[in-house]
Amino acid sequence: MLDATTRSGGTATASPPSSAAAEIVVPASVSLAARCTRALLSPWSRLSLLLVLLASAGAAVLLFEPQRLLTGGWPPQLGGAAAAVVFAVAYGLCTVAFVPRPLLNLAAGALFGSQAGLASALAGTVLGAGLAFGLGRVLGQDALRPLLRGRWLKAADGQLSRHGFRSMLAVRLFPGVPFWAANYCAAVSRMGYVPFLLATALGSVPNTAAYAVAGARASAPTSPAFLIALACIALPALAGVVVAWRKRHHLRGR
């Protein structure tokens, strides 16, 4: 707005803005909410949430003892394909909660036979790996990547980030690295989601099949199928030990 001097032909001057219009006052509640949101979404807060979830899952396993399915059998109200699907979902959740996969694979074979047990266990394997990878990627990667400073950690991270598919395929084919550890290591690396799941599905077939057959033929421990399954379990484990030993000396030489 122009003043009276301007209207009479004098120098045009604009009236100064009021202090209320110049200053934008942010309510204290909005500022506090923004700070709380940033704190809750910070890398260390998300990592803490991941640790709480994993600890709760482990405690639930200890409390409910899912291994009782081996002795008590599957609930009688479920059967056929529905039972296999429910078992696959339970399998995936149990692997996230650190239940050993060999125990679950044996249970799959004992409950559903070799073929259906293999399908159900393999589906549960991929589901559990995907859940663990997603949790680790969303909740743990930002906080843990700056901590990758040791030689072994940097080497593992570089291998998974640059050669994710073949590295994870080798980990799944040659047992030795715990299932949950491989999942969260891959999540912290820059490995892609699709290569991780594909390598997990393909690499888990031989070992899972061997355990499923062993579980299905556990009542006949002297049968050829059971003995072959045991050999298929032992030989990859021995090969994994040899490869790890050779890699250890190679890294020392470097």
Side-chain angles (χ1 to χ4, degrees), residues 109-152:
L111 293 171
F112 305 110
S114 301
Q115 297 181 356
L118 171 61
S120 181
L122 193 60
T125 296
V126 176
L127 174 62
L131 289 175
F133 186 90
L135 287 173
R137 179 60 57 89
V138 174
L139 300 178
Q141 186 187 47
D142 292 340
L144 293 177
R145 279 203 65 82
L147 303 180
L148 301 177
R149 298 175 181 175
R151 184 181 64 178
W152 286 80

Side-chain angles (χ1 to χ4, degrees), residues 86-178:
V86 172
F87 182 86
V89 175
Y91 185 115
L93 295 176
C94 286
T95 57
V96 177
F98 311 114
V99 175
R101 283 186 63 245
L103 177 65
L104 297 171
N105 292 334
L106 290 171
L111 293 171
F112 305 110
S114 301
Q115 297 181 356
L118 171 61
S120 181
L122 193 60
T125 296
V126 176
L127 174 62
L131 289 175
F133 186 90
L135 287 173
R137 179 60 57 89
V138 174
L139 300 178
Q141 186 187 47
D142 292 340
L144 293 177
R145 279 203 65 82
L147 303 180
L148 301 177
R149 298 175 181 175
R151 184 181 64 178
W152 286 80
L153 293 177
K154 285 185 177 180
D157 174 66
Q159 188 71 18
L160 289 172
S161 298
R162 292 190 299 268
H163 311 290
F165 176 79
R166 71 183 189 187
S167 299
M168 186 53 57
L169 185 65
V171 169
R172 301 306 192 194
L173 285 173
F174 301 103
V177 180

